Amino acid sequence: MDVAIDITEFSYLPAQAEALGVPLPPVERVALELGDGRTVSALRFGTEAPRVTLLHGAGLNAHTWDTTSLALRQPLLAIDLAGHGDSSWRADADYTPRTLAVDVAAALDAWTTQPQLIIGQSLGGLTGAALAASRPDLVAELVIVDITPGIDVSAGPAALRAFYEGPTDFATRDELVDKAISLGFGGTRPETERGVFLNTRVRADGRIEWKHHFAHLAAQALAAHDPGSAAAPSVLHVTGWDDLAAVRAPITLVRATRGFVSETDAEELQRRVPQARVVAFDATHNVQETAPTALADLIASLASAGTGI
């Protein structure tokens, strides 16, 4: 395991911990080289063996979980999915859940010693379902946050497509902050500035670009919420329902009342996966950012409920 020495990405954590009134835990970045030469990267909170693993949504990275992780106060991993954060981009640009789950499984094999409580938001939720279906030994319980394979693609995802269409590089980070706020993403301006800083990098020519591959694949980004086909599935292909139906671990859907999953979508999930339970939070799609303490409380309650964690 290689640990990165650049700690500038952790510069926001002390103030976040102080605002929550919690102690600042040890946090480090870890990296694992995969068999094909790519790298999967993650944040590890705490020094004990992780009991919780967090998977972010498309266009985000592990730092989206910072506030939730601090509020939770438990050993955990927050993984950068392939093509996001500090994890390698894929040459084939395949960022569908079953493909992403393979990297997550490798990371858990290397970094954990017990089945995990998997919390996956959006794309991370579908990836968690694919992981639980294919590697049940790694998953004690699954929480999927504001996503189902059948969400209404004319609602929230349309705003997501609008956010990533157009230029992929900018003169300043302020341009990106303004764009995010204008489309209803992020919270306060300082919170949005933090998210943009942690999700971008400065190129050699001084221009700002997104760190994640998703933003550089304009056509794929615009079609990411199209079901696709069996031969060329998208993030929301019906195979997601097959994965959820195959999960034997307990499943909870967190529906954000101001997010992407409608009441009808949640009812469809319960019809197809009767063992799943649904809880609703007053939050936007990025629940981990707009209702972090409520989400942390839910995770803590599941972790203490005798789920083998």
Side-chain angles (χ1 to χ4, degrees), residues 240-272:
W241 287 122
D242 296 335
D243 290 336
L244 283 168
V247 174
R248 294 297 171 258
I251 299 174
T252 298
L253 167 67
V254 173
R255 185 179 78 83
T257 57
R258 293 175 284 128
F260 290 178
V261 175
S262 67
E263 290 186 15
T264 300
D265 294 329
E267 290 168 358
E268 176 70 359
L269 176 94
Q270 289 187 300
R271 184 186 71 78
R272 290 174 175 261

Side-chain angles (χ1 to χ4, degrees), residues 32 68 74 172 280:
L32 175 71
T68 301
Q74 294 199 25
T172 67

Side-chain angles (χ1 to χ4, degrees), residues 51-259:
R51 300 182 296 170
V52 174
T53 293
L54 309 173
L55 306 176
H56 62 77
L60 299 175
N61 60 64
H63 279 293
T64 189
W65 297 103
D66 282 353
T67 306
T68 301
S69 298
L70 291 170
L72 185 56
R73 301 176 65 180
Q74 294 199 25
L76 61 83
L77 285 172
I79 296 177
D80 282 334
L81 297 177
H84 296 75
D86 284 8
S87 290
S88 300
W89 294 5
R90 293 185 59 90
D92 60 5
D94 180 358
Y95 299 114
T96 50
R98 289 184 176 181
T99 297
L100 295 173
V102 175
D103 288 0
V104 174
L108 297 185
D109 281 334
W111 294 333
T112 66
T113 59
Q114 58 191 305
Q116 298 288 289
L117 171 52
I118 301 291
I119 317 296
Q121 185 256 342
S122 201
L123 174 59
L126 299 178
T127 300
L131 173 72
S134 61
R135 289 291 306 274
D137 57 305
L138 295 175
V139 181
E141 187 154 356
L142 174 65
V143 178
I144 55 177
V145 180
D146 207 50
I147 194 68
T148 76
I151 58 172
D152 178 3
V153 298
S154 66
L160 188 63
R161 290 194 295 270
F163 185 52
Y164 288 116
E165 66 185 354
T168 59
D169 61 280
F170 304 84
T172 67
R173 286 189 167 103
D174 280 340
E175 289 184 30
L176 281 170
V177 172
D178 291 340
K179 185 174 184 179
I181 291 174
S182 71
L183 290 171
F185 291 100
T188 65
R189 188 171 187 91
E191 290 169 340
T192 306
E193 288 172 347
R194 177 177 65 86
V196 167
F197 174 79
L198 293 169
N199 212 13
T200 56
R201 60 189 170 204
V202 181
R203 296 192 318 213
D205 62 2
R207 299 282 291 178
I208 305 298
E209 69 174 2
W210 293 110
K211 293 177 73 172
H212 55 89
H213 201 186
F214 183 81
H216 299 261
L217 300 167
Q220 179 171 321
L222 293 173
H225 292 278
D226 183 278
S229 65
S234 79
V235 169
L236 290 178
H237 189 251
V238 292
T239 51
W241 287 122
D242 296 335
D243 290 336
L244 283 168
V247 174
R248 294 297 171 258
I251 299 174
T252 298
L253 167 67
V254 173
R255 185 179 78 83
T257 57
R258 293 175 284 128

Side-chain angles (χ1 to χ4, degrees), residues 20 67-69 71-72 287-297:
L20 289 169
T67 306
T68 301
S69 298
L72 185 56
V287 178
Q288 69 281 4
E289 296 179 359
T290 55
T293 55
L295 184 57
D297 288 344

